[in-house]
Amino acid sequence: MTTDHHHGTPPAPVERRAVALEELLVEQGLISHEDIDAVQQEYETQLGPMHGARVVARAWVDPSYRERLLANGTRAVHELGIEGPEIEHLVVVANSPEVHHVVVCTLCSCYPWGVLGLPPNWYKDPPYRARVVREPRVLLAEMGCPLEESVEIQVWDSSADCRYLVLPERPAGTDGLSEEALAGLVTRDSMVGVEVL
Ligand code: FE
């Protein structure tokens, strides 16, 4: 980790803590600066929702893959060569015209990094974590995802053991698109369940 990305702006307290921790760990010989840079690099470039988008697009075009994905998410994403962290027990839940799924971690911020990358700040914030359980329909509407009263909302609470990925519905009018083009339509938020494509 470098301390100069803000070009003269004093580092925030959390950055100073991170730097102090890093120095301590290096001093103790537990880790090297290179190790930390490598991890940071991987998280910035190798992880992200593009992996989840590939999974969703494959499920849209291949009904047997979709079946395998819903039966065993971890095995099915491994099938596509996706091997990132925090997807050792991945459960995929499919939206339908009747049911909309949305994912939270009420306890902290558990999230399927291997398919979605690192969680956005709002996912980690207490208001999202509380309100998505208490008043999911109101919150989703506020987040730009209004749902018909007739659509049932299912909220999935992630944990250290089990992470969830929402399989959004394929948008209308996309019949002619290639799998790659379809993957380009899939957003992170749609795979958390706070957006409908
Ligand atoms: Fe958590």
Side-chain angles (χ1 to χ4, degrees):
M1 179 183 295
T2 54
T3 51
D4 61 353
H5 7 247
H6 297 293
H7 306 286
T9 314
V14 65
E15 290 178 274
R16 288 204 301 275
R17 274 204 300 277
V19 170
L21 250 180
E22 179 174 339
E23 291 306 329
L24 193 66
L25 290 169
V26 170
E27 208 175 283
Q28 305 270 324
L30 295 171
I31 199 163
S32 70
H33 289 297
E34 291 71 32
D35 292 336
I36 293 184
D37 286 345
V39 170
Q40 192 178 11
Q41 185 72 15
E42 180 180 339
Y43 276 69
E44 282 174 4
T45 61
Q46 306 298 310
L47 282 181
M50 63 279 193
H51 297 300
R54 271 174 61 212
V55 171
V56 168
R58 175 64 58 87
W60 283 346
V61 301
D62 181 345
S64 73
Y65 182 77
R66 178 192 157 100
E67 237 169 75
R68 294 198 296 284
L69 182 66
L70 298 179
N72 185 328
T74 299
R75 197 180 297 159
V77 303
H78 286 169
E79 240 186 81
L80 300 189
I82 297 165
E83 300 282 351
E86 310 293 332
I87 51 175
E88 293 81 3
H89 185 181
L90 181 69
V91 172
V92 180
V93 287
N95 282 348
S96 72
E98 294 77 34
V99 183
H100 179 90
H101 299 282
V102 60
V103 179
V104 64
C105 175
T106 56
L107 196 63
C108 44
S109 57
C110 300
Y111 193 74
W113 296 357
V115 282
L116 293 186
L118 295 177
N121 283 332
W122 55 259
Y123 184 85
K124 300 184 274 187
D125 282 344
Y128 175 77
R129 287 156 41 204
R131 292 186 64 209
V132 75
V133 175
R134 234 174 24 229
E135 45 176 8
R137 201 175 298 273
V138 175
L139 180 66
L140 286 173
E142 280 176 28
M143 294 178 79
C145 181
L147 295 167
E148 300 285 337
E149 281 298 324
S150 61
V151 176
E152 183 195 336
I153 300 175
Q154 285 192 9
V155 181
W156 298 86
D157 193 2
S158 314
S159 69
D161 297 326
C162 186
R163 309 295 165 94
Y164 298 94
L165 182 77
V166 174
L167 176 58
E169 286 188 275
R170 180 170 173 163
T174 58
D175 285 356
L177 294 187
S178 68
E179 188 176 334
E180 202 185 342
L182 287 169
L185 301 177
V186 182
T187 61
R188 174 197 70 198
D189 285 3
S190 71
M191 295 182 278
V192 181
V194 299
E195 182 187 356
V196 169
L197 297 173

